[in-house]
């Protein structure tokens, strides 16, 4: 958590085993409800990572599944957290990160590239077809959303069919 927040906070456990953030400069404990959404999520991620390491006890590293965990994180903290997660990958942990935000996917790609690492595989499930084979290749260009047809002059049922919705 200290690495995530550039030493502004550290993860602490209050009596009764409640997670709190210690404001390092002020030496004050902050309850989860007193933290911003982003900082609270970062504290919980740090606690989850610590608990994984403790639970595995030198065993096989289990895959980590994260769903838009960094969507409320500013760019500096995104890079710090991403670097921590990159270290875990380089130590052998497999990480699956789900996001609907293409900008966030590009942030992941650029972080790895900036660090001289092979970028992670990005799979756009919205455009994948069952008949397509999955390729380990990372797309050369950023993913772009599909074009939405113009509804002008179309009956609602016709437009819904064109969109593929019912």
């Amino acid at each position: 958590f200290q690495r995530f927040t550039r030493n502004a906070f550290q993860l602490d456990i209050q009596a009764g085993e409640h997670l709190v953030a210690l404001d390092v400069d002020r030496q004050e404990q902050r309850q989860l409800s007193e933290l911003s959404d982003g900082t609270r999520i970062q504290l919980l991620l740090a606690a989850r990572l610590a608990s994984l390491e403790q639970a595995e006890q030198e065993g096989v590293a289990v895959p980590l599944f994260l769903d838009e965990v960094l969507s409320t994180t500013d760019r500096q903290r995104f890079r710090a957290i991403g670097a921590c997660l990159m270290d875990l990958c380089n130590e052998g942990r497999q990480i699956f990160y789900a996001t609907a935000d293409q900008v966030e996917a590009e942030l992941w790609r650029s972080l790895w590239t900036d660090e001289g690492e092979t970028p992670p595989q990005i799979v756009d499930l919205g455009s994948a077809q069952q008949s397509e084979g999955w390729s380990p290749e990372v797309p050369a260009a950023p993913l772009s959303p599909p074009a939405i047809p113009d509804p002008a002059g179309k009956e609602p049922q016709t437009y819904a069919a064109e969109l593929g919705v019912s």
Side-chain angles (χ1 to χ4, degrees), residues 114-151:
D114 292 350
E115 295 296 321
E117 299 280 347
T118 301
Q121 180 177 358
I122 297 174
V123 178
D124 183 353
L125 295 177
S127 65
Q129 301 292 322
Q130 287 186 352
S131 61
E132 293 177 356
W134 291 100
S135 169
E137 299 294 322
V138 175
L143 303 173
S144 57
I148 298 174
D150 186 3

Side-chain angles (χ1 to χ4, degrees), residues 48-158:
R48 176 172 287 170
L49 293 174
S51 70
L52 270 179
E53 290 175 10
Q54 182 68 28
E56 292 167 348
Q57 297 279 333
E58 307 278 333
V60 175
V62 298
L64 183 61
F65 290 84
L66 303 171
D67 187 1
E68 295 192 341
V69 172
L70 303 179
S71 62
T72 59
T73 300
D74 64 59
R75 299 277 170 108
Q76 288 179 331
R77 285 196 183 174
F78 186 101
R79 293 188 71 77
I81 296 165
C84 289
L85 294 173
M86 186 185 316
D87 289 347
L88 292 175
C89 286
N90 288 333
E91 293 168 6
R93 185 173 308 276
Q94 191 173 25
I95 298 177
F96 296 87
Y97 190 91
T99 183
D101 186 350
Q102 292 177 352
V103 171
E104 199 171 342
E106 190 55 41
L107 285 171
W108 279 110
R109 184 191 329 265
S110 68
L111 171 67
W112 284 70
T113 302
D114 292 350
E115 295 296 321
E117 299 280 347
T118 301
Q121 180 177 358
I122 297 174
V123 178
D124 183 353
L125 295 177
S127 65
Q129 301 292 322
Q130 287 186 352
S131 61
E132 293 177 356
W134 291 100
S135 169
E137 299 294 322
V138 175
L143 303 173
S144 57
I148 298 174
D150 186 3
K154 297 177 184 166
E155 292 294 320
Q157 297 83 359
T158 303

Side-chain angles (χ1 to χ4, degrees), residues 6-23:
R6 299 174 63 199
N7 296 315
F9 292 100
Q10 75 180 42
L11 177 61
D12 207 358
I13 299 178
Q14 194 177 42
E17 299 186 14
H18 296 286
L19 296 175
V20 294
L22 176 66
D23 182 323

Side-chain angles (χ1 to χ4, degrees), residues 37-55:
D37 290 344
T39 302
R40 182 173 45 254
I41 289 169
Q42 293 156 19
L43 181 144
L44 295 171
L45 175 59
R48 176 172 287 170
L49 293 174
S51 70
L52 270 179
E53 290 175 10
Q54 182 68 28

